[in-house]
Amino acid sequence: MLPKSALIWQLCVVYFLAMFAIVARAESPYRFFTWNVTYGDIYPLGVRQQGILINGQFPGPDIYSVTNDNLIINVHNSLPEPFLISWNGVQQRRNSYEDGVYGTTCPIPPGKNFTYILQVKDQIGSYFYFPSVGFQKAAGGFGGIRILSRPLIPVPFPEPAGDFTVLIGDWYKANHNKLKSVLDRGHRLPSPDGILINGHGSNGASFTVEQGKTYRFRISNVGLQHSLNFRIQGHKMKLVEVEGTHTIQTTYSSLDVHVGQSYSVLVTMDQPPQDFYIAVSTRFTNKVLTSTGTLHYSNSAHPVSGPVPGGPTTQIDWSLNQARSIRTNLTASGPRPNPQGSYHYGLINISRTIKLESSAGQVNGKQRYAVNM
Ligand SMILES: *[C@@H]1O[C@H](CO)[C@@H](O)[C@H](O)[C@H]1NC(C)=O
Ligand SMILES: *[C@@H]1O[C@H](CO)[C@@H](O)[C@H](O)[C@H]1NC(C)=O
Ligand SMILES: *[C@@H]1O[C@H](CO)[C@@H](O)[C@H](O)[C@H]1NC(C)=O
Ligand SMILES: *[C@@H]1O[C@H](CO)[C@@H](O)[C@H](O)[C@H]1NC(C)=O
């Protein structure tokens, strides 16, 4: 949807220039990005599809940054339709006019460009960006965001030997416009056709590691609807960070990652020199879809072998218990949930309880997904 008149778009540009003047006074480093958003052919499940590429890439480029950096991202929309990026997890400062959600941020009209100016103030951690209008997320346009701690800030684990972005998500062979029309006609989304790992279908994604070393994997679920379980054959994962919060370092053999979530795990390559399966499968679905990638030891003597490791499928308690086991490490570095207040949460009296529940329903004959609808 386009703003009702060109006037609104012009107001956005004027507002943006005013905000630029304010942000530009900060003294933190600037990182400049120029992105060109286009349609292009992609073949993630072996058939040709129209994907949304950023600078020719699917998934889009990762954004690497350090706490307090200013990110200046000039996005050229070369699609024939409006395009808007949501910076999932990047905190908006003072106001949310650039959060990339329709209603607070204008989509970029076809053929136009807009420069997003974000500051990752007091933030660390793993996040991702994605298109937020027109169901374009079903066609690509997403990528990883990582915010590293400033050099002098202690991180509660040794520097890993490598750092991988792992974008997992359910995927459809149908075009995003077609999927959108399914919803607009009042139907639920069909079952996805597969699961992608970094834009690849089964056996496509590969991560090369050295035996004996420890690596960080930043796993984000960039999909549309399904929770996914992530695991690596023969290896344990130590959870260290969830969306910018260092966690109590608990070891898991598999992790549920719900849509929109980002987790960092450390994995030590402590197995014999060979290749291992990375498995991602759908949760809470009747038909379980599984996709695999490869963990490749650089001195590997054998290709992947044995059964693909299984994971939980329909068990809900398992997932809730795992979520409850994830805790903030309150003595580690990182942003604090309430900088002014006490950390003794157990002593805070609860004055109001708000229950959030995802829901699905019809609005004017169209299928919509909502919270507490
Ligand atoms: C974006 O890419 C398209 C296709 O390659 C090209 O025609 C166009 O000139 C590019 N636009 C910018 C602003 O780089
Ligand atoms: C559009 O891109 C041009 C050239 O890259 C740049 O000079 C201009 O500031 C951009 N405009 C906006 C609104 O971002
Ligand atoms: C929490 O972080 C501190 C500071 O880095 C670290 O020493 C400690 O081991 C961490 N605790 C757990 C349980 O992960
Ligand atoms: C919580 O309520 C109790 C009983 O009313 C009171 O004694 C206590 O001071 C309250 N605690 C806080 C942190 O407000």
Side-chain angles (χ1 to χ4, degrees):
M1 279 177 287
L2 267 178
K4 289 290 173 291
S5 71
L7 180 66
I8 296 180
W9 173 245
Q10 281 167 14
L11 281 174
C12 283
V13 172
V14 168
Y15 192 32
F16 144 75
L17 289 172
M19 291 312 295
F20 181 79
I22 293 169
V23 174
R25 266 192 258 127
E27 279 169 10
S28 300
Y30 289 81
R31 286 177 201 267
F32 296 89
F33 304 83
T34 304
W35 285 359
N36 188 6
V37 182
T38 59
Y39 278 139
D41 288 344
I42 56 173
Y43 303 80
L45 296 179
V47 295
R48 187 166 67 86
Q49 285 183 260
Q50 183 188 56
I52 292 180
L53 315 182
I54 297 180
N55 291 351
Q57 297 176 42
F58 168 79
D62 277 354
I63 291 181
Y64 288 32
S65 60
V66 175
T67 302
N68 295 346
D69 279 357
N70 295 286
L71 309 179
I72 317 289
I73 310 165
N74 187 354
V75 180
H76 294 261
N77 177 13
S78 302
L79 302 178
E81 60 199 49
F83 181 77
L84 177 61
I85 294 187
S86 182
W87 310 95
N88 193 25
V90 175
Q91 288 165 19
Q92 304 292 309
R93 306 187 61 214
R94 299 187 187 95
N95 65 59
S96 55
Y97 86 108
E98 274 186 349
D99 64 357
V101 174
Y102 187 74
T104 44
T105 313
C106 303
I108 307 171
K112 299 275 188 226
N113 66 304
F114 179 73
T115 305
Y116 292 90
I117 300 181
L118 310 165
Q119 188 183 15
V120 290
K121 179 78 180 154
D122 297 333
Q123 282 195 268
I124 57 144
S126 315
Y127 309 93
F128 66 94
Y129 61 86
F130 63 95
S132 61
V133 293
F135 227 63
Q136 290 162 335
K137 193 187 184 198
F142 44 72
I145 301 175
R146 61 176 73 168
I147 311 173
L148 301 176
S149 295
R150 286 181 295 140
L152 291 174
I153 304 295
V155 173
F157 47 86
E159 174 86 9
D163 196 330
F164 297 109
T165 295
V166 188
L167 304 177
I168 58 176
D170 49 17
W171 191 260
Y172 294 83
K173 289 178 185 168
N175 178 289
H176 66 285
N177 290 314
K178 200 168 166 191
L179 290 173
K180 182 172 180 294
S181 73
V182 169
L183 297 179
D184 288 349
R185 278 185 277 115
H187 302 291
R188 298 279 182 100
L189 280 180
S191 185
D193 297 302
I195 297 167
L196 302 192
I197 305 175
N198 285 351
H200 298 279
S202 233
N203 303 318
S206 179
F207 302 86
T208 299
V209 294
E210 283 182 40
Q211 193 183 23
K213 294 193 170 166
T214 297
Y215 293 80
R216 180 173 186 166
F217 292 78
R218 300 173 189 253
I219 309 153
S220 298
N221 185 338
V222 300
L224 289 179
Q225 61 171 340
H226 288 300
S227 298
L228 300 173
N229 182 268
F230 181 93
R231 51 203 181 268
I232 304 178
Q233 186 183 28
H235 293 75
K236 295 265 186 250
M237 302 181 284
K238 191 195 273 182
L239 184 71
V240 292
E241 179 250 339
V242 177
E243 287 147 35
T245 299
H246 287 132
T247 60
I248 299 289
Q249 296 178 6
T250 308
T251 297
Y252 299 94
S253 50
S254 81
L255 264 183
D256 273 0
V257 188
H258 305 288
V259 172
Q261 290 186 327
S262 299
Y263 286 168
S264 279
V265 295
L266 297 181
V267 181
T268 298
M269 304 306 153
D270 54 6
Q271 295 299 307
Q274 62 172 78
D275 289 359
F276 296 89
Y277 283 116
I278 291 175
V280 184
S281 56
T282 52
R283 290 289 268 123
F284 323 126
T285 51
N286 293 329
K287 184 181 159 204
V288 178
L289 292 174
T290 303
S291 195
T292 57
T294 308
L295 182 72
H296 172 67
Y297 277 39
S298 58
N299 57 347
S300 169
H302 302 284
V304 285
S305 61
V308 173
T313 53
T314 56
Q315 304 86 332
I316 293 173
D317 284 1
W318 189 100
S319 198
L320 289 174
N321 289 339
Q322 180 169 79
R324 285 193 192 106
S325 73
I326 298 172
R327 304 256 177 215
T328 300
N329 182 342
L330 288 168
T331 58
S333 64
R336 286 284 163 262
N338 63 341
Q340 302 86 9
S342 142
Y343 300 143
H344 301 284
Y345 295 108
L347 300 178
I348 299 171
N349 293 320
I350 295 168
S351 54
R352 191 176 166 204
T353 303
I354 299 172
K355 192 175 160 196
L356 300 179
E357 197 173 8
S358 61
S359 53
Q362 304 253 327
V363 180
N364 302 328
K366 298 177 176 183
Q367 179 64 48
R368 292 294 179 256
Y369 295 87
V371 175
N372 293 1
M373 185 164 78

